[in-house]
């Protein structure tokens, strides 16, 4: 087998019978098109560009001192709120001790390098100092940048598009752990096992299904009107 290819979807459209995605230089038809492109969703569906905003985030990986290694091996996930708010994931099954925060940059190009810059991790140094004892004994082993897709109310976007499409943006920093669950619910709606209305309300945490005012009738390639407010 050759190396895996990377497809970049450039357009999509839905008809009453089939959905189509243009990617890899050709059109691909399917019974239903599900757009779940993360930080790139606004590029493929411009009408959602202000509802789902890419946000460059940073994480720092640490090596704890030998005297604390045993304690970290059984430590729980830690969420610290306040001025130095952070989340701390302990090392498990070969992973590394990781610290990040829930402060959104709401900036950045998801196609850019994921190597962390000084400005990416500056506030995380304060988070380390504010949450870990004897911080000087921890060794920073790596710094990385990643991308969230953030909504104004930090809820997920799960919406049907025309007759043969769906958008999924399980985002705002919560999506990774819920991705499989959201995907299953949408699959059930597509298969007719759950109503679309039920899935919309459930995925949005009970928020009104039409809370994203940027959803236009012709969402394929529609521009975002200047007077449309962000999701609230």
């Amino acid at each position: 087998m050759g190396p895996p290819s990377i497809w970049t979807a450039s357009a999509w459209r839905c008809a009453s019978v089939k959905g189509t995605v243009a990617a890899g230089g050709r059109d691909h038809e399917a019974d239903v098109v599900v757009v779940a492109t993360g930080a790139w969703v606004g590029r493929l569906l411009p009408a959602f560009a202000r509802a789902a905003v890419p946000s460059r985030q940073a994480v720092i990986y640490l090596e704890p001192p030998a005297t604390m290694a045993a304690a970290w091996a059984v430590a729980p996930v830690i969420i610290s709120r306040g001025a130095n708010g952070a989340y701390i994931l302990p090392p498990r099954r070969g992973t590394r001790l990781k610290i990040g925060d829930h402060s959104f940059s709401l900036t950045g190009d998801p196609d850019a390098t994921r190597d962390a810059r000084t400005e990416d991790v500056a506030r995380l140094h304060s988070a380390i100092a504010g949450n870990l004892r004897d911080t000087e004994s921890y060794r920073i082993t790596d710094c990385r940048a990643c991308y969230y897709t953030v909504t104004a109310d930090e809820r997920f976007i799960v919406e049907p598009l025309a007759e043969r499409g769906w958008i999924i943006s399980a985002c705002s920093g919560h999506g990774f752990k819920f991705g499989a669950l959201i995907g299953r619910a949408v699959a059930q709606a597509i298969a007719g096992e759950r109503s679309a209305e039920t899935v919309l309300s459930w995925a949005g945490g009970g928020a009104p299904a039409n809370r994203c005012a940027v959803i236009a009738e012709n969402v394929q390639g529609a521009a975002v009107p200047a007077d449309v407010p962000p999701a609230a």
Side-chain angles (χ1 to χ4, degrees):
M1 294 179 62
S5 61
I6 298 176
W7 284 7
T8 301
S10 57
W12 81 282
R13 58 186 179 274
C14 288
S16 59
V17 179
K18 292 286 186 179
T20 304
V21 175
R26 52 183 290 212
D27 287 350
H28 304 267
E29 286 192 346
D31 293 332
V32 179
V33 174
V34 178
V35 179
T37 51
W40 291 266
V41 67
R43 296 186 182 178
L44 190 58
L45 301 176
F48 286 88
R50 281 174 49 187
V53 180
S55 183
R56 185 179 174 94
Q57 306 294 129
V59 295
I60 289 179
Y61 293 93
L62 301 168
E63 180 181 319
T67 54
M68 298 184 189
W72 276 114
V74 295
V77 171
I78 298 171
I79 298 177
S80 172
R81 306 185 69 174
N84 293 312
Y87 64 86
I88 304 172
L89 302 182
R92 287 292 188 277
R93 298 179 181 179
T95 65
R96 297 174 289 177
L97 176 62
K98 181 171 76 171
I99 185 168
D101 66 12
H102 198 65
S103 298
F104 302 131
S105 73
L106 300 178
T107 60
D109 179 352
D111 285 332
T113 175
R114 301 304 173 94
D115 295 330
R117 304 178 299 240
T118 300
E119 57 268 30
D120 289 328
V121 299
R123 66 174 179 267
L124 289 182
H125 288 286
S126 297
I128 293 172
N131 290 283
L132 300 180
R133 180 183 299 174
D134 301 327
T135 55
E136 68 281 354
S137 63
Y138 288 78
R139 185 174 71 89
I140 295 177
T141 60
D142 197 9
C143 303
R144 303 296 294 177
C146 62
Y147 276 86
Y148 291 175
T149 306
V150 179
T151 60
D153 57 7
E154 297 189 27
R155 296 174 187 262
F156 298 164
I157 297 175
V158 178
E159 303 276 358
L161 302 171
E163 296 184 44
R164 294 287 175 175
W166 282 78
I167 176 176
I168 300 177
S169 183
C171 47
S172 300
H174 322 300
F176 182 79
K177 57 184 175 289
F178 291 113
L181 187 64
I182 296 293
R184 183 175 67 176
V186 171
Q188 290 171 337
I190 292 171
E193 299 171 7
R194 298 177 67 171
S195 70
E197 293 76 12
T198 299
V199 172
L200 265 62
S201 177
W202 167 79
N210 63 348
R211 80 184 198 282
C212 292
V214 294
I215 299 173
E217 283 188 12
N218 182 22
V219 71
Q220 305 96 310
V224 181
D227 59 347
V228 173

